[in-house]
């Protein structure tokens, strides 16, 4: 699934969730009669499917809106998105070193794929933040969203809050390495980096509330799990 498309679907989370409430003009209930809130007053009724074994209900548009699940972003959603932007930026910094330093074409190709996937993911997450800015005074405690600027995620004291982030010393060693030494260190650091991203995604899936963030975290789990397997095979 394309992340940007996933975000667009997620940003319409209310529509995605309420899609299960099927708006049908002139619908009838199980007794074959037009629902009390149906088309007689010029408005379409909404049929809410029941749980397994339960009958569907006919709702007015107002009732359907009131029963629509609330996916307002919470602190876990904000923490994940801000932190993952920083996490992804460091991955791009590491991947950018590969073309001139790696010896194995497979490592170069892997770095290229990581960059190709994570650049648009950063863009999608930045769009999400623009739509759902953190409450005033809350951004500083989100574990990686502030204080580091756009330097590729390589500096600052927020790394301890984000699993898998390489240290300044490790990044320097990677930049200084060449050939097979670079390949080996890149695979080691990037594997740990991806494993950290999976932990962050798991936290978002467990504690978040927003549909778009759930989709983004699910995408990270899928793509980075596959890349971890690939890197372990190369190592």
């Amino acid at each position: 699934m394309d992340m940007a498309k996933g975000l667009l679907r997620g940003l319409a989370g209310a529509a995605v969730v309420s899609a299960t409430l099927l708006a049908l003009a002139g619908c009838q209930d199980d007794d074959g009669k037009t629902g009390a809130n149906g088309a007689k007053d010029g408005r379409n009724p909404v049929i809410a499917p029941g749980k397994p074994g339960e009958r569907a209900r006919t709702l007015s548009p107002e009732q359907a809106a009131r029963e629509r699940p609330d996916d307002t972003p919470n602190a876990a959603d904000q923490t994940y998105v801000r932190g993952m932007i920083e996490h992804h930026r460091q991955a791009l910094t590491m991947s950018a070193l590969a073309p001139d330093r790696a010896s194995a074409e497979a490592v170069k190709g892997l770095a290229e794929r990581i960059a190709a996937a994570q650049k648009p993911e950063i863009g999608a997450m930045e769009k999400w933040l623009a739509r759902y800015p953190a409450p005033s005074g809350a951004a500083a405690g989100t574990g990686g969203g502030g204080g580091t600027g756009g330097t590729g995620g390589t500096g600052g004291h927020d790394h301890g809050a984000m699993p898998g982030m390489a240290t300044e010393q490790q990044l320097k060693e990677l930049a200084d390495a060449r050939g097979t030494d670079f390949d080996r260190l890149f695979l080691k650091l990037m594997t740990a980096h991806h494993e950290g991203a999976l932990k962050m995604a798991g936290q978002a899936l467990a504690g978040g509330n927003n549909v778009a963030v759930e989709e983004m975290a699910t995408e990270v789990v899928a793509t980075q799990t596959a890349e971890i397997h690939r890197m372990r095979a190369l190592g």
Side-chain angles (χ1 to χ4, degrees):
M1 179 181 67
D2 180 82
M3 176 61 68
K5 292 180 180 178
L7 177 62
L8 291 176
R9 289 196 299 271
L11 293 180
V16 172
V17 176
S18 63
T20 59
L21 304 178
L22 307 177
L24 301 175
C27 284
Q28 297 181 326
D29 60 22
D30 291 344
D31 297 324
K33 299 177 181 179
T34 301
N37 297 307
K40 288 183 177 181
D41 59 2
R43 296 177 303 165
N44 293 336
V46 177
I47 305 304
K51 296 179 181 179
E54 295 181 354
R55 297 172 62 182
R57 295 180 298 147
T58 301
L59 307 176
S60 69
E62 292 79 10
Q63 288 174 319
R66 286 195 299 270
E67 295 194 13
R68 184 179 63 205
D70 179 11
D71 75 335
T72 301
N74 61 15
D77 295 317
Q78 288 283 344
T79 296
Y80 174 75
V81 175
R82 291 176 179 274
M84 191 56 73
I85 288 173
E86 190 71 13
H87 210 266
H88 274 20
R89 284 175 178 163
Q90 189 181 80
L92 296 185
T93 297
M94 296 165 66
S95 297
L97 299 173
D100 296 330
R101 293 169 175 80
S103 64
E105 291 300 320
V107 172
K108 293 180 180 180
L110 174 66
E112 183 178 357
R113 285 192 295 272
I114 289 172
Q118 296 195 18
K119 282 180 181 178
E121 287 176 359
I122 289 174
M125 288 185 284
E126 289 175 337
K127 290 180 181 178
W128 186 92
L129 283 179
R131 182 177 178 87
Y132 300 111
S136 178
T142 57
T148 57
T151 59
T154 62
H157 51 275
D158 291 325
H159 291 183
M162 291 188 289
M165 290 288 278
T167 65
E168 290 285 354
Q169 180 60 33
Q170 288 173 324
L171 290 173
K172 183 179 183 305
E173 291 173 359
L174 184 65
D176 291 340
R178 296 291 188 280
T180 57
D181 289 340
F182 177 90
D183 295 347
R184 181 170 54 251
L185 186 56
F186 178 84
L187 293 173
K188 175 183 177 181
L189 294 179
M190 192 61 79
T191 297
H193 201 268
H194 277 30
E195 289 172 343
L198 295 186
K199 292 180 182 178
M200 294 169 66
Q203 291 168 352
L205 292 171
N209 188 61
N210 182 255
V211 172
V213 173
E214 179 181 352
E215 291 187 357
M216 290 188 283
T218 300
E219 177 73 5
V220 164
V221 170
T223 58
Q224 298 207 18
T225 296
E227 287 172 353
I228 286 172
H229 291 318
R230 189 175 296 116
M231 288 187 286
R232 286 176 177 167
L234 290 175

